[in-house]
Amino acid sequence: MSRIREIELRLIELPLARPFRVSFGTSTGKQCVLARVVTDDAEGWGECVADDGYPGFSGEWNEGVWTLLHEVLAPSLSDGDVSIDTVEDRLRFVRGNPMAKATLIDAVIDAELRATERSLASFLGADKQAVVCGVSIGIADSVDELRAQVDAHLEQGYRRIKLKIMPSIDVERVAAIRSDHPDILLSVDANAAYSLDDLEVFRQLDAFDLLMIEQPLHHEDLVQHAALQAEIRTPICLDESIRSAADAAAAIQLGSCRIVNIKQGRVGGVLEARRIHDVAAAADIPVWCGGMLETGIGRATNLALAAMPNFTLPGDTSASARYFAEDLTEPFVLQPDGTMGVPTGPGIGVVPLPKRLDACTIRRATISPVS
Ligand code: OSB
Ligand code: MG
């Protein structure tokens, strides 16, 4: 239990090394909200994974997150004591908005773990020192451009390639990459761009020995995903449709997926992410750690989570250089064997580089207790 002295919010922006195109839009920069929670004993960091510009991935986006954090969530924490055991309950009066809540929940956890000199990985029950990394490749301008990007990432050591697809930019590209690389772990992610009317596309994709098809159908659907899963042998993996452990339990019971992508930032932070891990483990459903183009703060958090036992498939935990010419923290580097080390220091084990943080900040606010 610690008293919160201050919560600082920052909206930051970093240029992306290359534009990232998915079925619902293209990002050229990474904009996100960061929270720094200062307690009597330590300070902790959390990064929000909401969208920039408009809510395209989920219902949350940075301007909404900023207002909710600044006007409602941060003030509700800034009087009195808070701890890992109470922080989720303290924020439960607000419905939904898991991305905004994750920002504060993860920051409070980071602060408490730093105060007790415990790493997030050890707190979560990690059993690995390094995790196997994949890479998520955006929709390229042409098949040849895609081939070149896949080759370059395989050369760097990435051990699973995920291709973003959308209607009409799908089967031909997957066929090309599969024929170039018959034996790699290959998956696709549709970001909810298809419907059951597209069954023929999924039958064709079913022939390429894909590791999974991620979020093919509507972001709020579980029932139609179950119907699709019954028609194809490739495992369906859900991302957008899983916002909580309750969603994961329902999806597994319905047969809507055989794999779950856990993004702690999407589901309200690492505590809910751990619950999803546990629900899936109990049902023998493998999970992996997704990403949202995070800076080093969110990346460090994700790596700790990905070190838990049921994270048995390579994650979208790619190196800083895959996203940014210059990260917010010391860069995360891919080892030649395609793994990345899990931070071992207290809390998430990294902090923003002060000069870099200031250079990236486009808005800043401080919430202090009324005393
Ligand atoms: O669906 O997994 C997704 C990035 C932004 C929004 C959604 C997704 C992604 C990725 C990139 O696939 C994962 C990463 O490298 O961080
Ligand atoms: Mg996805």
Side-chain angles (χ1 to χ4, degrees), residues 8-10 12 32-37 43-49 69 99-111 114 264 295 297-298 301 328 348 350 352:
E8 182 186 43
L9 301 175
R10 291 188 190 231
I12 62 157
C32 65
V33 178
L34 292 181
R36 182 174 67 101
V37 168
E43 57 180 63
W45 291 90
E47 173 174 340
C48 187
V49 301
L69 285 170
M99 294 178 174
K101 290 177 183 172
T103 318
L104 284 178
I105 290 169
D106 287 349
V108 165
I109 294 169
D110 185 37
R114 285 184 203 262
Q264 55 81 22
T295 77
I297 296 297
T301 312
L328 196 63
I348 61 171
V350 302

Side-chain angles (χ1 to χ4, degrees), residues 22 24 57 136 162 164 188-192 214-215 237-240 261 263 266 288 290-292 316:
V22 303
F24 62 84
F57 177 82
S136 170
K162 162 172 142 184
K164 291 290 188 178
V188 294
D189 185 0
N191 288 109
E214 183 176 341
Q215 196 68 43
C237 168
L238 290 178
D239 176 355
E240 284 91 323
N261 168 341
K263 291 176 177 164
R266 183 193 72 224
W288 57 280
M292 295 289 282
D316 284 343

Side-chain angles (χ1 to χ4, degrees), residues 184-207:
I184 61 168
L185 296 181
L186 182 64
S187 68
V188 294
D189 185 0
N191 288 109
Y194 295 83
S195 77
L196 278 181
D197 293 342
D198 299 305
L199 190 56
E200 188 47 38
V201 174
F202 295 108
R203 289 203 200 287
Q204 290 178 38
L205 290 174
D206 218 12

Side-chain angles (χ1 to χ4, degrees), residues 132-200:
V132 177
C133 298
V135 64
S136 170
I137 299 192
I139 296 169
D141 290 341
S142 67
V143 178
D144 285 343
E145 166 63 29
L146 180 65
R147 286 189 140 122
Q149 283 191 37
V150 169
D151 290 352
H153 285 100
L154 288 171
E155 226 154 88
Q156 288 168 37
Y158 286 105
R159 292 189 22 202
R160 185 229 59 205
I161 298 288
K162 162 172 142 184
L163 307 177
K164 291 290 188 178
I165 58 167
M166 63 187 286
S168 85
I169 311 184
D170 43 35
V171 176
E172 183 199 1
R173 296 200 175 190
V174 175
I177 300 304
R178 183 46 101 203
S179 89
D180 287 358
H181 307 285
D183 299 322
I184 61 168
L185 296 181
L186 182 64
S187 68
V188 294
D189 185 0
N191 288 109
Y194 295 83
S195 77
L196 278 181
D197 293 342
D198 299 305
L199 190 56
E200 188 47 38

